[in-house]
Every structure is written in C-alpha cells, then in structure tokens.
Amino acid sequence: MTHDHDLVLRPTAAQTEAALNPPPGRNGGDLVVETLAGLGATTVFGLPGQHALGMFDALRRSDLRYIGLRVENNAGFAADAYGRITGEAAPLLLSTGPGALTSLAALQEARAASAPVLAISSQVPTAGLGGGRHGYLHELPDQAASFRGVVKSVHTVRAQSQIPSAIAEAWTSALTVPHGPVWVEIPQDVLLAETSIPVVTGGDTFPEELPPRPELTAVAAHLLSGAQRPAIIAGGGVVRADASKKLRQLAERLQAPVVTTFGGKGAFPWTHPLSLQSWLEDRHTTDFLEDADVLLVVGSGLGELSSNYHTFKPRGRIVQIEADLGKLESNHPALGIHADARLALQALLETVAERTDPTAPERVRAVLDQVRERIASQELTLEQDVLAAVRNALPSGAPSFWDMTILAYWAWSAFDAKAPNTMHSAQGAGGLGYAFPAALGAAAADPTHPVLAVSGDGGALYSIAELATARQYNLSVTWLIVDDGGYGILREYMTDAFGQPTATELTRPDYVALAESFGVPGVRTSPETLAADLAKALAAPGPSVVVLPAVLRMFAPTHPGSD
C-alpha cells in the first residue's frame, strides 16, 4: 500500500538551480534556522551564549521571530506555554553548559505537562567532545546525559549534514503523543563553519498517531454500557488532544458525571449538570468516585494530586485511556488502553450504548452542595472573594498561568476555566517561577487576548528579570502578585507540622516601584478593588503589574483522617 508521504517529491527546476547555487555566507546555524522554518516554526525563544553564536547570527538572515528572555529557565517556561497554546513544537535556543543546564527545571515541567518544546543547545567544539577534560568554557563530561532523564528524546549532531534530519527527527518526537520536550545539541565549530549544503526547503514530518486497540475499546464500551454508576475523570490528555467535545458527547450518552483534574481544567463545562468540577482534594468527591462501578479515566495517570494524595481507593472497574505508556496502571489496576484521548473517545462514541439515568444530575448536585458546605464552614470568605474577583476580571477565552502559590491551589479546585486550554499551572513538576514567563510565551503565541499571570511574592522573585522582556516585546501580560511576605504555603505546611515556620519569610522589593522602573505600569490593589484594577490592567495593551498585599489561607485538607 502506498501512502502519500511515501512518494518521492521531485524538485522543480528552480529548486534544483537554488540547490546547486546556495547563497554565500551561510553556516551551520543557517541550517538550523532554515530547518525550523521549513518545519513550520515562526517564533523561537532563547538566550545567546558563546558557543551558540552561529545559531543566533543566522536568525538575522531568517524570517523567524526571536523572543529573548533573561534567564534560560524562563525561556523554557515561555516555550512550554507557546507549545501548550499552539500545539506546535516551540523552539528553544540555548548555549552550552550553564546555559543549557539552567533550562532543566523548565524542561521537567514541559515533560510532566506534555508540552512540545524543541530545545537546541550548542556544545563545545568537536575536538573537545568525549573526555570532558579539555578545558573549554562551559564544558561538561557528557552534556546530553544531563538531559536524558528529563526530556523525551536526545539527538546529537556531529556534522552539518546531520542538522536538518536531527532537528526534523526531534520535531517529530516532540509532536508524537504524548507530546513533550526534546533535546538537540550541536558543537560550536559545526554551527560556525561555512556550509555548501543547499538551503533547506523540505520540512514535512509525520508524527505518528496513536489509535486504540479495537479489542480493548470493545471491552471498555461493554463495561460502560452496562454500568449502573459510571463516572469519568478527565485529565490533561483530553485538553492536549483537543477532545473536549468528544468527552462531553460521551458523558451525555452515558449520563456519567465528570470531574476534571487540575491539569485537565476546562476539559468539561464547569456548569454542566454532569460536572463535578475539579474538587479532587475533597473527600466527598473522592467518595463519589470510589463508589462508581465503572470509572473511565481519560488522559490522566491518577498521580498524587489527581488521587487526593493517593488516598483514592476505587471499588469498581477502571478503564484508563493514556498516551503515556508508562502511566498505564501505574497507580491502579485497570483495563489499560494506550491511545490518544481523541481517537479513543471517538472509538467509544461509535460503540457505546446510550444510558438513561435521571438521578445523575441530582447526585452531582448533592456532592457539590456537600463541598460548598464544607468550605463555607471554614470561614474562607477572603480567599473565595479574591478568586471570584480574578474570574470576573478575566475575559472569557483569555488564558491564565498560575505559579505554585496559595491562590493557584484554590484555583485548581474552584476556578472555572471557561474553556479548554485556557488555564495552565506548574503543577506538572511543581517548580516555582512558572507563571509570568509562561504568560509571556502565551502572549507571543496569540496576541488577540490579554494574558493573566498569577504569582506569590516568593515565586515572583524568580521571574522579575522578565519584566524587561515583557517591556522589550510589548507583550500584553498582566501579572498579579499576591504579596503575603514569604512562601505562604510552606509557612502553612511548617506551622502545621512543626508548630512554627523556618526559612519562609522574605524581604521583598516594592513591586509597584520595581515594575515602573522597567517601564511597566504597576498598581497596588486591595481585595475590594481587585476586580476593577485587574480588569483595567487586562484591558490596556502591553504589560502591567497588579500587587495584592494579602495573606490567604488554604482550605483544610480532606483526605481520610483530616476532617
């Protein structure tokens, strides 16, 4: 059988002429940027360094848009968000050694969240490879080894002729489900040497689809069709596969209540009669899911946060659809279906029988009423009012990016994302400093919406340098900084565990004055004026900072023995 992409494309006369007479002055760096452009890239993120200058000089001769951040890790977060928003592989250009290694935490987040990032790093000259003792600046004994446990795949280049294929191979890997970050490294001399290799014009790659095995979806459809109390947990894989509409169709056909994980925010309509929303850190939700006789888990590995800190003990059958093979049955025995969420949900829609269950919406309402009563009993009005103010100020369709901060932990459970792929946080790997640089990447991806970033004052200090980036590229990001004087959630954890906190209190700058020193407008707000101040900032073009001095508390944990 012949596939379209099996056909050999014959060059035109003009292509042949151009290939035989490449323009002078090109080097290995040009092969990098030409390959990226040929693959469809339009924007690259990064930070230059001594060994990578051949790549960055080549940008000058290309049509690629370059957005330079001030710290490599922040450049990685920006690329991560660009990949999440567009679904495309986001190029990240880095230098050798310290520059490369500084991106590791961002690449860990991209791997945990299945964000397609194509990191391309320089390497010491070819003569210095292998021993790690040649005394080159930035030299590592084995740079690629530092990344093998973090990224999806590693691709090393040692000659110019390898560049186009290595980058194309990495691009395909990044966009094959599950998406993820990939790593390419190219020595300095290979990047700098003049090249006679023709201009790269071909660039099509074909990421492999991951359809479900039909015998498994047949069994899954049989189980779901015959269930008395089916329920669905929808994870980030539903969002990444653009499968939200299929999920809704299946839930309605089965009359199955749906809870979305924190990574799957927006995968199911918040106010739908079958929506259990995202109250995963709540015993009432956990009890409901444990009582399901058939539980369909789509695009989630049921990790720590999605299983109420591994206290979830399901009593029924689990059907788990997951694109990451290693996550199948990693936490609970299941009928494991290794597949892309969209293709698997489509297979179920074609085979599952329709159920009628008039009690399902009533049971959902009962759980949500129990959750509301429990939260109301804890006197957390300030926290709920602040979160409501953020939701009221943020236009529907505008994306938001959340750091690891108390307000974000509230948002995981209580924030209506309004639509899939609009709410993102660093809960994949849990590193600090994600929100603001990620929001910059999202603004670069889609300038038609304002973008919101939410940080605590501790996390904000990781990203302050990127106020310069926001101003330089005039990116429309509003940064809400909740200033509680330190690492608020760690303060709570330590006080609960040890009676008092240590190492959690911070000296902070005047964030408003600091923002204004970068040429970014800043305003100090209050819980009462937050909605209006935030809405005004989001409506204005360009970057802005809104500082909210407030000490927020978390709702009490709800795993067994905590109530």
Side-chain angles (χ1 to χ4, degrees), residues 437-457:
L440 298 178
D446 181 5
T448 64
H449 293 287
V451 184
L452 174 67
V454 180
S455 298
D457 55 292

Side-chain angles (χ1 to χ4, degrees), residues 3-364:
H3 299 282
D4 288 345
H5 53 269
D6 290 332
L7 301 175
V8 176
L9 298 177
R10 298 185 183 280
T12 64
Q15 286 174 320
T16 300
E17 177 66 21
L20 292 174
N21 298 281
R26 292 165 59 251
N27 60 21
D30 287 276
L31 296 174
V32 173
V33 298
E34 289 165 7
T35 303
L36 291 173
L39 289 165
T42 58
T43 301
V44 300
F45 301 88
L47 206 69
Q50 176 180 322
H51 295 135
L53 294 181
M55 265 193 304
F56 284 83
D57 179 60
L59 286 173
R60 179 169 54 86
R61 295 183 287 278
S62 83
D63 293 326
L64 293 175
R65 174 176 61 156
Y66 169 67
I67 295 180
L69 286 93
R70 302 309 192 264
V71 184
E72 287 87 354
N73 200 50
N74 293 336
F77 285 145
D80 166 299
Y82 188 96
R84 295 192 200 198
I85 293 293
T86 63
E88 302 166 6
L92 171 65
L93 306 186
L94 302 167
S95 190
T96 318
L101 295 177
T102 302
S103 73
L104 275 169
L107 295 175
Q108 182 189 3
E109 174 60 37
R111 181 70 183 275
S114 297
V117 175
L118 173 54
I120 304 177
S121 160
S122 57
Q123 178 56 294
V124 298
T126 309
L129 293 174
R133 297 291 184 273
H134 296 272
Y136 285 105
L137 190 70
H138 308 329
E139 185 178 8
L140 287 165
D142 185 353
Q143 179 174 274
S146 301
F147 292 84
R148 284 198 181 93
V150 176
V151 299
K152 230 184 124 177
S153 57
V154 168
H155 310 260
T156 57
V157 168
R158 297 296 180 256
Q160 287 184 342
S161 61
Q162 298 173 7
I163 289 174
S165 293
I167 292 176
E169 186 179 74
W171 182 280
T172 302
S173 174
L175 291 176
T176 296
V177 294
H179 292 175
V182 295
W183 180 261
V184 181
E185 67 170 33
I186 310 173
Q188 179 189 27
D189 55 323
V190 176
L191 289 169
L192 288 175
E194 190 168 345
T195 186
S196 59
I197 293 174
V199 174
V200 182
T201 54
D204 286 342
T205 66
F206 301 93
E208 292 184 14
E209 289 199 319
L210 187 59
R213 298 179 65 86
E215 69 275 16
L216 297 177
T217 52
V219 174
H222 175 74
L223 290 171
L224 290 164
S225 300
Q228 297 299 307
R229 298 178 309 284
I232 299 173
I233 297 177
V238 176
V239 175
R240 290 186 290 274
D242 193 20
S244 300
K245 290 181 180 177
K246 294 187 187 301
L247 171 70
R248 179 174 179 170
Q249 288 177 305
L250 184 65
E252 290 175 346
R253 189 168 299 178
L254 292 171
Q255 284 298 291
V258 179
V259 63
T260 58
T261 70
F262 305 150
K265 296 286 290 188
F268 194 73
W270 190 256
T271 57
H272 191 285
L274 292 172
S275 175
L276 283 163
Q277 301 178 355
S278 300
W279 290 96
L280 283 165
E281 290 186 60
D282 186 280
R283 194 64 217 171
H284 302 300
T285 303
T286 305
D287 288 344
F288 184 93
L289 295 172
E290 287 179 347
D291 186 55
D293 59 344
V294 180
L295 181 66
L296 175 62
V297 181
V298 191
S300 170
L302 290 182
E304 182 180 31
L305 297 179
S306 303
S307 62
N308 204 352
Y309 298 91
H310 294 301
T311 64
F312 175 50
K313 307 293 182 190
R315 295 187 292 274
R317 290 289 303 273
I318 296 178
V319 176
Q320 185 185 14
I321 296 167
E322 176 55 57
D324 187 335
L325 185 61
K327 290 181 179 178
L328 276 184
E329 297 193 77
S330 60
N331 287 304
H332 297 279
L335 173 65
I337 302 177
H338 182 219
D340 176 75
R342 180 177 54 84
L343 299 177
L345 288 171
Q346 180 60 40
L348 291 177
L349 279 169
E350 291 170 0
T351 50
V352 80
E354 190 163 349
R355 290 182 68 257
T356 55
D357 184 357
T359 70
E362 296 170 19
R363 291 186 290 121
V364 167

Side-chain angles (χ1 to χ4, degrees), residues 55 80 98 179 191 212 214 217 219 281 285 333 368 379 391 396 398 423 436 440 459 485 493-494 524 551:
M55 265 193 304
D80 166 299
H179 292 175
L191 289 169
T217 52
V219 174
E281 290 186 60
T285 303
L368 294 178
E379 299 180 0
R391 181 62 276 175
S396 293
M423 180 182 170
F436 186 55
L440 298 178
Y493 289 162
M494 292 193 80
R524 186 170 284 98
V551 178

Side-chain angles (χ1 to χ4, degrees), residues 393-559:
L394 186 66
S396 293
S400 59
F401 290 81
W402 303 71
D403 216 332
M404 300 296 285
T405 186
I406 287 178
L407 190 59
Y409 297 173
W410 270 92
W412 291 348
S413 293
F415 193 77
D416 178 3
K418 298 285 188 188
N421 207 28
T422 58
M423 180 182 170
H424 301 274
S425 68
Q427 56 94 24
L432 272 177
Y434 173 79
F436 186 55
L440 298 178
D446 181 5
T448 64
H449 293 287
V451 184
L452 174 67
V454 180
S455 298
D457 55 292
L461 289 170
Y462 279 65
S463 312
I464 286 296
E466 305 312 336
L467 284 168
T469 302
R471 181 72 282 161
Q472 181 169 348
Y473 300 100
N474 199 35
L475 298 168
S476 293
V477 173
T478 294
W479 191 9
L480 172 61
I481 301 173
V482 182
D483 185 355
D484 66 1
Y487 300 120
I489 193 66
L490 300 179
R491 181 191 290 142
E492 280 201 19
Y493 289 162
M494 292 193 80
T495 301
D496 289 346
F498 310 115
Q500 62 183 34
T502 303
T504 59
E505 307 314 297
L506 298 172
T507 297
R508 292 96 61 213
D510 179 335
Y511 286 105
V512 172
L514 184 60
E516 290 172 345
S517 75
F518 282 93
V520 174
V523 62
R524 186 170 284 98
T525 190
S526 68
E528 294 73 26
T529 58
L530 175 61
D533 287 339
L534 203 53
K536 182 179 178 183
L538 285 161
S544 57
V545 170
V546 177
V547 180
L548 173 65
V551 178
L552 305 180
R553 294 186 300 132
M554 270 306 292
F555 50 81
T558 58
H559 37 81

